[in-house]
């Protein structure tokens, strides 16, 4: 586990760098634009509206809580897709800097994860009134959101480290990932409910797609007032594995990045 | 290991895979698969083959050589960006990297914010930057413009800010690529004077410049690199004369 300690030390050493990278990107993205903050919320809202029209109006399905169930699953998915999509190119687009300054490359993908997290938290500002409007069960189990968000942070960080590293060597990754992320959303229980998966496929579905258990857990915590169940452990296992793998690979090969980029 | 030198390089070399210029894509991957893997030949290219030199604190080293001789690769090794593949380099001090003036400026952010961003990118802490903040702003003569986004700056203003950051945030060893000043006539003189002041202050400096006159004027020793090999080192005028005669 020495690699974990090394990488953590490096992040602590680069605290100021990470802080200013984050603040600059945050300002450019939100503060300097007239609708900056509004865009962060409008985007998932529009996405939700399209699906509501499709499912509730056209297919006449969904049920009374469909909008809030959908939104509580779209938000964590967006965090994942934004952070990973941006991480694939983050090292390449900073190539010039990486080749001139001895800089902690790990801060670049971690910054993208944090930016995605902030985007997610802004989305919660919209989710909370929706919970009341759509009569969600609000109770103490909602506090489970904190460890669940933390676990997702671990998952996304591991994934972001991996894709940012692989992106240096495999330039098509960005295109492939964009495509995969689009399909990934439909393969995860955001638009539909986990209970709609046929029984005989349910087990394999849960094991193969970590987002099956994650999105279902978010729906349970926010809307149904239920704590995470055992299947959430699948997501925890994926998170720990991806995180360790991402950190290990970064720790071992980051000295090559400047040369190979 | 105690050393009287601030930088000591012993027969260092660095190689690059030539295939790094040809990035792997889905298409190239399948092409190679069909043709029986052509990227596997892994041609290597030694950008630096064999370079040794030593520098004492307070010395000013001029590095000369034609384009593509490996000068900037050498600087990147000194800055710690690359690790040499052979030989040993010991740098007993911190290096302020050679950021071409204004690299890393974010156009949407103010000059003030860019000072901090540039500073942390160069590896300084917030505290170190804050200590120099007023000096940087004053020297760049930006006054109230410092709170305006950099995209509203003239090129001269951006250069002034970049120069001011580079000369105020410095480490034990400074890497610079031109001694020449920046901006208009007046500021050029001011920036040249600032450089001379730093040179006289005993700062260890490595200069890479095509302006051989400035190297003759300021450097205390010089090395000449050609195709990654050290051709000559030692007295500035001797090295430059040999380089010019080649």
């Amino acid at each position: 586990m020495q690699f974990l300690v090394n990488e953590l030390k490096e992040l602590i050493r680069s605290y100021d760098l990470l802080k200013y990278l984050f603040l600059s990107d945050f300002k450019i993205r939100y503060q300097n634009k007239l609708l900056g903050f509004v865009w962060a919320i409008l985007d998932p809202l529009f996405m939700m509206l399209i699906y509501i029209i499709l499912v509730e109006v056209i297919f006449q399905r969904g049920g009374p809580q469909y909008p809030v169930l959908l939104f509580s699953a779209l938000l964590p998915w967006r965090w994942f897709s934004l952070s990973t999509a941006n991480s694939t190119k983050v090292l390449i687009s900073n190539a010039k800097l990486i080749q001139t300054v001895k800089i902690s490359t790990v801060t670049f993908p971690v910054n993208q994860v944090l930016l995605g997290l902030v985007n997610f938290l802004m989305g919660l500002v919209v989710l909370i009134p929706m919970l009341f409007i759509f009569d969600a069960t609000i109770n103490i189990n909602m506090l489970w959101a904190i460890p669940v968000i933390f676990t997702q942070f671990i998952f996304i960080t591991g994934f972001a480290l991996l894709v940012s590293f692989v992106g240096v060597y495999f330039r098509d990754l960005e295109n492939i990932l964009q495509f995969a992320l689009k399909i990934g959303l439909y393969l995860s229980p955001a638009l539909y409910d986990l209970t709609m998966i046929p029984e005989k496929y349910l087990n394999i579905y849960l094991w193969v797609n970590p987002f099956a258990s994650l999105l279902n857990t978010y729906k349970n915590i926010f809307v149904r007032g239920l704590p995470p169940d055992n299947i959430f452990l699948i997501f925890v296992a994926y998170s720990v594995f991806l995180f360790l793998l991402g950190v290990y690979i970064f720790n071992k090969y980051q000295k090559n990045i400047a040369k190979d980029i | 290991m105690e050393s009287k030198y601030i930088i000591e390089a012993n027969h260092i070399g660095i190689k690059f895979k030539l295939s790094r210029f040809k990035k792997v894509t889905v298409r190239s991957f399948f092409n190679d698969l069909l043709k029986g893997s052509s990227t596997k030949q892994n041609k290597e290219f030694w950008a630096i083959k064999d370079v040794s030199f030593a520098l004492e604190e307070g010395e000013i080293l001029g590095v000369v050589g034609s384009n593509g001789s490996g000068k900037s690769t050498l600087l990147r090794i000194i800055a710690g960006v690359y690790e040499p593949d052979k030989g040993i380099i010991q740098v007993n001090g911190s290096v302020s990297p050679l950021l071409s003036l204004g690299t890393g400026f974010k156009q949407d952010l103010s000059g003030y914010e860019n000072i901090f961003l540039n500073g942390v990118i160069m590896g300084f802490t917030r505290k170190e930057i804050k200590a120099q903040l007023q000096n940087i702003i004053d020297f760049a003569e930006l006054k109230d413009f410092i709170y305006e986004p950099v995209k509203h700056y003239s090129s001269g203003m951006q250069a002034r800010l970049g120069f001011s950051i580079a000369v105020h945030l410095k480490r034990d060893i400074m890497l610079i690529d031109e001694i020449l000043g920046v901006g208009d006539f007046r500021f050029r003189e001011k920036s040249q004077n600032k450089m001379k002041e730093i040179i006289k202050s005993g700062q260890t400096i490595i200069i890479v410049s095509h302006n051989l006159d400035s190297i003759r004027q300021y450097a205390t020793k010089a090395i000449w690199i050609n195709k990654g090999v050290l051709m000559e080192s030692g007295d500035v005028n001797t090295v430059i004369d040999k380089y010019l005669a080649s």
Side-chain angles (χ1 to χ4, degrees):
Chain A
M1 289 290 152
Q2 189 56 41
F3 63 92
L4 203 63
V5 180
N6 287 344
E7 218 51 40
L8 214 67
K9 271 190 192 154
E10 176 152 353
L11 259 186
I12 293 167
R13 252 202 316 274
S14 332
Y15 171 77
D16 279 336
L17 173 64
L18 183 60
K19 184 173 137 191
Y20 280 98
L21 280 181
F22 175 82
L23 286 178
S24 333
D25 284 342
F26 183 81
K27 267 192 185 147
I28 291 167
R29 213 176 276 186
Y30 302 115
Q31 201 168 312
N32 289 347
K33 292 191 186 104
L34 202 58
L35 286 177
F37 176 73
V38 180
W39 279 124
I41 298 164
L42 275 186
D43 191 75
L45 269 180
F46 273 129
M47 215 163 136
M48 182 186 69
L49 272 180
I50 292 167
Y51 291 127
I52 288 175
I53 292 170
L54 191 74
V55 174
E56 297 227 71
V57 180
I58 299 177
F59 294 134
Q60 306 266 317
R61 302 284 288 272
Q65 283 188 324
Y66 184 74
V68 72
L69 283 168
L70 177 63
F71 199 67
S72 63
L74 279 182
L75 284 183
W77 174 263
R78 265 178 56 81
W79 175 14
F80 170 71
S81 65
L82 266 180
S83 292
T84 45
N86 289 338
S87 291
T88 41
K89 49 187 184 225
V90 77
L91 292 183
I92 302 159
S93 54
N94 284 298
K96 214 174 162 200
L97 273 183
I98 292 169
Q99 284 184 325
T100 359
V101 193
K102 188 179 186 187
I103 198 167
S104 167
T105 38
V106 74
T107 48
F108 292 108
V110 170
N111 180 35
Q112 292 304 327
V113 180
L114 290 174
L115 286 166
L117 171 64
V118 169
N119 201 283
F120 172 79
L121 295 177
M122 288 196 275
L124 291 187
V125 176
V126 181
L127 178 68
I128 289 165
M130 278 180 71
L131 295 178
F132 288 97
I133 294 168
F134 291 97
D135 204 19
T137 313
I138 292 159
N139 59 27
I140 192 84
N141 281 327
M142 208 171 265
L143 287 178
W144 278 104
I146 295 161
V148 171
I149 290 170
F150 179 75
T151 316
Q152 194 185 355
F153 181 81
I154 298 288
F155 181 98
I156 297 178
T157 305
F159 207 89
L161 290 182
L162 283 175
V163 293
S164 65
F165 178 78
V166 176
V168 171
Y169 297 90
F170 188 61
R171 295 292 159 107
D172 283 348
L173 184 69
E174 194 189 336
N175 301 328
I176 294 172
L177 205 75
Q178 259 177 13
F179 187 61
L181 284 171
K182 264 183 200 134
I183 299 174
L185 176 61
Y186 297 111
L187 292 178
S188 304
L191 307 182
Y192 48 88
D193 205 74
L194 195 59
T195 51
M196 288 156 128
I197 302 289
E199 189 102 30
K200 61 177 174 178
Y201 299 123
L202 187 61
N203 251 323
I204 186 155
Y205 179 72
L206 284 171
W207 279 102
V208 169
N209 182 0
F211 278 89
S213 56
L214 180 74
L215 298 188
N216 191 52
T217 303
Y218 270 113
K219 285 180 175 179
N220 282 349
I221 292 170
F222 283 133
V223 186
R224 301 182 183 120
L226 297 170
D229 46 20
N230 286 338
I231 62 165
F232 184 64
L233 291 176
I234 297 172
F235 185 76
V236 175
Y238 266 103
S239 303
V240 172
F241 173 73
L242 275 174
F243 183 74
L244 291 180
L245 184 68
V247 174
Y248 176 77
I249 287 191
F250 234 83
N251 190 256
K252 190 156 181 206
Y253 297 109
Q254 65 186 343
K255 63 179 196 299
N256 299 343
I257 289 175
K259 234 171 127 177
D260 295 337
I261 206 162
Chain B
M1 253 207 277
E2 273 297 307
S3 169
K4 69 168 185 153
Y5 297 112
I6 191 160
I7 301 179
E8 200 175 357
N10 255 318
H11 301 287
I12 54 170
I14 188 166
K15 65 177 176 202
F16 290 94
K17 289 196 187 83
L18 273 186
S19 60
R20 86 196 173 101
F21 298 109
K22 190 184 139 201
K23 292 296 168 200
V24 185
T25 60
V26 173
R27 200 159 142 197
S28 72
F29 177 78
F30 282 108
N31 272 343
D32 293 347
L33 212 65
L34 291 173
K35 280 191 232 147
S37 155
S38 66
T39 43
K40 281 268 165 65
Q41 36 180 273
N42 268 344
K43 275 204 176 150
E44 282 172 2
F45 166 70
W46 288 85
I48 298 279
K49 292 191 189 93
D50 186 3
V51 172
S52 305
F53 68 92
L55 198 65
E56 284 179 56
E57 203 175 332
E59 282 190 304
I60 295 170
L61 176 72
V63 183
V64 296
S66 49
N67 281 333
S69 56
K71 291 187 309 255
S72 33
T73 309
L74 181 66
L75 282 196
R76 286 174 181 179
I77 295 174
I78 295 168
V81 172
Y82 299 151
E83 278 180 25
D85 290 303
K86 69 173 184 122
I88 296 170
I89 182 162
Q90 249 196 38
V91 181
N92 299 312
S94 52
V95 182
S96 45
L98 177 134
L99 275 187
S100 321
L101 303 176
T103 320
F105 275 174
K106 298 238 180 191
Q107 296 292 318
D108 285 325
L109 297 180
S110 69
Y112 183 89
E113 290 160 334
N114 269 302
I115 293 174
F116 281 97
L117 187 63
N118 230 263
V120 291
I121 285 172
M122 292 196 286
F124 292 89
T125 63
R126 203 181 90 93
K127 246 173 127 182
E128 290 170 311
I129 301 162
K130 258 200 150 160
Q132 286 295 329
L133 186 63
Q134 205 50 52
N135 292 338
I136 294 172
I137 298 172
D138 290 346
F139 189 87
E141 299 173 12
L142 287 169
K143 297 196 180 78
D144 290 342
F145 264 102
I146 200 72
Y147 301 108
E148 288 289 316
V150 167
K151 65 182 170 199
H152 295 159
Y153 288 17
S154 67
S155 55
M157 288 162 88
Q158 289 207 26
R160 260 149 54 193
L161 183 60
F163 181 86
S164 187
I165 294 172
V167 293
H168 287 97
L169 295 176
K170 50 185 202 287
R171 295 282 199 200
D172 305 341
I173 304 156
M174 212 175 157
L175 307 180
I176 49 179
D177 60 355
E178 292 295 334
I179 291 227
L180 300 170
V182 294
D184 59 17
F185 175 73
R186 201 183 48 79
F187 193 82
R188 184 166 301 165
E189 202 170 281
K190 181 178 165 185
S191 52
Q192 273 169 346
N193 286 338
K194 181 76 186 174
M195 280 315 305
K196 284 177 194 161
E197 189 188 301
I198 291 172
I199 286 167
K200 283 187 190 128
S201 74
Q203 169 83 36
T204 313
I205 301 176
I206 299 177
I207 312 169
V208 180
S209 176
H210 288 294
N211 186 343
L212 298 175
D213 289 337
S214 64
I215 293 190
R216 273 189 212 268
Q217 195 182 345
Y218 299 113
T220 56
K221 61 159 65 165
I223 56 174
W224 164 30
I225 298 172
N226 189 31
K227 291 179 179 159
V229 179
L230 184 71
M231 304 296 281
E232 193 65 48
S233 73
D235 175 65
V236 181
N237 286 319
T238 320
V239 171
I240 292 180
D241 289 341
K242 284 200 177 165
Y243 167 54
L244 286 175
S246 68

